[in-house]
Structure formats: structure tokens, C-alpha cells
Amino acid sequence: MKILVVGTGAREHALTLALSRDPQVAELHAAPGNPGIGALATLHPVDPLDGAAVAALATALGADLVVVGPEAPLVAGVADAVRAAGVPVFGPSAEAARLEGSKAFAKEVMAAAGVPTADPVVVTEASAAEAALDTFGAPYVVKDDGLAAGKGVVVTADRSVALEHALACLAKPGGRVVVEDYLDGPEVSLFVLSDGTHVVPLVPAQDFKRVGDADTGPNTGGMGAYTPLPWAPEGLVDEVVAQVAQPTVDEMARRGTPFVGVLYCGLALTSRGTRVVEFNARFGDPETQVVLARLATPLAGVLLAAATGGLGGLPPLEWTDEAAVTVVVASHGYPESPRTGDVITGLDDAAAVPGVHVLHAGTAAGADGAIVSAGGRVLSVVGTGADLAAARATAYAGVDRIALPGSHHRTDIARAAAEG
């Protein structure tokens, strides 16, 4: 198989690495990729938001499958353009990607499908936002209706902070805000593959959204993740498939907009039962980095089956017994004002640690062959081990070998779970 991966981040690097280990894959290409992906695939300087250009590249390469990683190209209709060119694509249509592109639309679908979630109020005016905040009370949950790169949600006990976020979202062209009931309990991420009819779950993971240890500071795109979840209730995956994923996929099919790709179910295990926090229309980052580290089944055939309606005929996926932990190394000033252009050293030393692989997120090729920071989240350092404690130790051993001026990372990823 020839496969084209669309995107630039650590999620796409993780997908490319998994695909590179599949004996069925003969050629890997990426558009536009990053320096880490470039070690595994041929890079093409194509705008990932330009559906016509991505489709033309896939056609010229004779690609057997296109895998669209990030949410923005999906919402922009890149998968539609590739499908129209006759190339199988793993990723939902623009219409189906509205499950992520619009929080209000996702709530509408969940209501129609009977999926348990937080009670929402969709507002377009400041006065309505204030009224909704007062109705729900603290803790306040305010979500930008559109895409916000993982930073569109504010959860706070401070009404003024909640209102400030709501007003900033409403000030955007066509701005809408979802104010909703607070969901207590730990959060879980579960990816479910769909071919538009059938669903196949992956293993659950947990990510860490706040920038600082002990879940302090602002929300980010994610500072780390781990799997498995030894504390998760038995039967959780089956419950989510039956009560969340399959009903949602069925509802999207009923609407004539079948969902093909990966449905990311962000869940809260509340005192009132499992509730959906949000849907995403793609693999989550950084959870993908740890989930794929444990997948034993070759990935390419699974993604192709999803893209071509064949998930129902696949045998069950196989997983290693290992644990996986990823720690995100972020640039100076992230998330408010990330600094770029700093030289990264120690990447080879980190990768030489047994059980470690380093995935590039926001990197670029600098002068004299150096790798420099080019974004807020710069690297995902993944460690595997016999259990979470071992995987944690391995991941942090890798992090300790990397130098990036002014960088920061959380020191408590998976600590509580590893300590029981």
C-alpha cells in the first residue's frame, strides 16, 4: 500500500510510525509533515487545508489510502475532495466533521440519538450568556462553538473569567457559545473507528489538559496521556460503544451524512453515570501517541477497512500488555505566547533509551541541520513499560535527555494512576 498522511503534528508522527511498522505498507508520504515524520515518509509541501491540492497529490502518487489527521482539514472538507477524486480516505466529510466543528451541532445529534451528556444552552448574545451562567452556577463551563485548537473551553469557579471567555467567543464573526452543566468525576478518552455503519473501539486513555502539575493553570491542547486505565470500571468500553458511539454513528447515517473515520469520545465518569463531555472527529492528541504504542494489529488494513466500509469483517484488534505514557515538552511561554526558533538537542540520546520514542509536534528544520521549535507543543516523548510506573520512568528518562531553552513539561503525568 501507498499511504498519504495529512498533517504536521505528533499525532501524525504517531500514525506514520505505526504505519511504517506495517509490512503491508510499501510507501509513506506526508503533507506537509515535519522533520520527525520526514525520517519515515516522503514530505510534500502541500497546504493541508487545500482539498484540491491534497486530492491532486494523492492521485499523482497513486495513493491507496489518505489519512487526514487534524480537525481543521476535516472541517474544511479535505476528505470530501479526496473521496471525489476516487481515493479511499480515512476521515469524515465536512458535514460529519461538524460533530467537532460545532459544539451546538454535536449536542443536537446527541439529543436525537439519546446519548447522555451535560445539559447545554446555546447562546449568541452577552445577556443570554450571563443568564445561562447564573442558571447553571459554579463551576462554570463555557465552550466556544467552533474549533479552537483544544483551548476553546473554560471551566472555572470565577464567574468573571467565565463571562470574559464567553464574550471573547461571541465577538468572533458568527460567534456562538455553549454554556453547560458541570460534569464531575474523572475524564476518559475513547477512540472508536467507524466505517459509517460499524464501530470498533480502541483502548481508553486519559489526557492532561491543564498546563501545570496537579491540574493547575490554563487549558492546553494536552500535556500528556497514558493507557491503560487501571481504575476504569469494568465494561466501560462496551457501555460507551452501546450507549454513545453506535447511536451517534446510527444517527449520522440516518441524516444521510455517514461518519467515516475516528470518533473521539471525551467522557466524564460522573456520580450520575458516564456522560459525553465532547466529540472530536479525529484522533486525539496526545492520547493517540500512547494508544498506538500499544496496538499490536497492523494499522494500515484497519484504517483502509474503515475507509471502505469493511470494519464489520475485521477480527478483534490485538493489544500488547504493556503500558504507555507520553509527556509533552512545550516551548517557553506556552500556551499564552509560545516562543519559536529555539534549538532542540538530545533527541538521539532520548530515542536511545530502551522503550522510548520521540514524536515531533511543533518542530522545523533549522540552520546546519539543527531541529528547532516551531510551535507551542514541541515534542511528545513516549515511554512503554511492563506497567504504568515503568512506562512513566521510561518516558521521563527520555525527557531528561532533551534540552530546549525555556521549555517546560508536567512532572506528574500518570503518577496518581501508577501509585494506585
Side-chain angles (χ1 to χ4, degrees), residues 155-365:
V155 181
T156 178
D158 188 327
R159 185 182 183 280
S160 63
V161 171
L163 181 58
E164 180 183 9
H165 181 62
L167 295 178
C169 296
L170 292 174
K172 298 177 183 179
R176 289 200 301 178
V177 165
V178 176
V179 181
E180 64 181 42
D181 197 15
Y182 174 73
L183 297 175
D184 62 346
E187 293 193 10
V188 174
S189 301
L190 182 67
F191 305 149
V192 179
L193 308 181
S194 172
D195 60 7
T197 303
H198 308 93
V199 299
V200 173
L202 305 188
V203 293
Q206 186 176 59
D207 75 330
F208 294 75
K209 294 182 174 66
R210 301 277 185 175
V211 72
D213 283 5
D215 292 327
T216 57
N219 267 348
T220 70
M223 295 298 293
Y226 70 95
T227 180
L229 310 183
W231 47 267
E234 189 174 348
L236 174 65
V237 171
D238 291 341
E239 175 195 347
V240 174
V241 167
Q243 297 184 13
V244 175
Q246 191 68 62
T248 300
V249 168
D250 291 345
E251 173 63 17
M252 293 299 287
R254 187 190 68 77
R255 291 168 177 244
T257 54
F259 188 94
V260 174
V262 59
L263 181 66
Y264 168 118
C265 303
L267 310 162
L269 308 188
T270 79
S271 56
R272 295 166 290 167
T274 303
R275 299 286 186 272
V276 174
V277 176
E278 65 174 351
F279 283 142
N280 290 335
R282 38 75 193 180
F283 282 109
D285 182 343
E287 299 98 319
T288 301
Q289 289 87 299
V290 291
V291 170
L292 292 185
R294 294 186 54 215
L295 180 64
T297 301
L299 181 61
V302 178
L303 300 187
L304 182 63
T308 55
L311 278 184
L314 284 187
L317 300 181
E318 297 180 1
W319 302 90
T320 71
D321 293 329
E322 288 189 314
V325 173
T326 189
V327 180
V328 171
V329 177
S331 60
H332 176 81
Y334 178 78
E336 291 89 355
S337 53
R339 187 174 74 196
T340 59
D342 290 313
V343 174
I344 307 164
T345 57
L347 292 173
D348 290 340
D349 290 341
V353 176
V356 167
H357 58 271
V358 181
L359 301 170
H360 291 227
T363 68

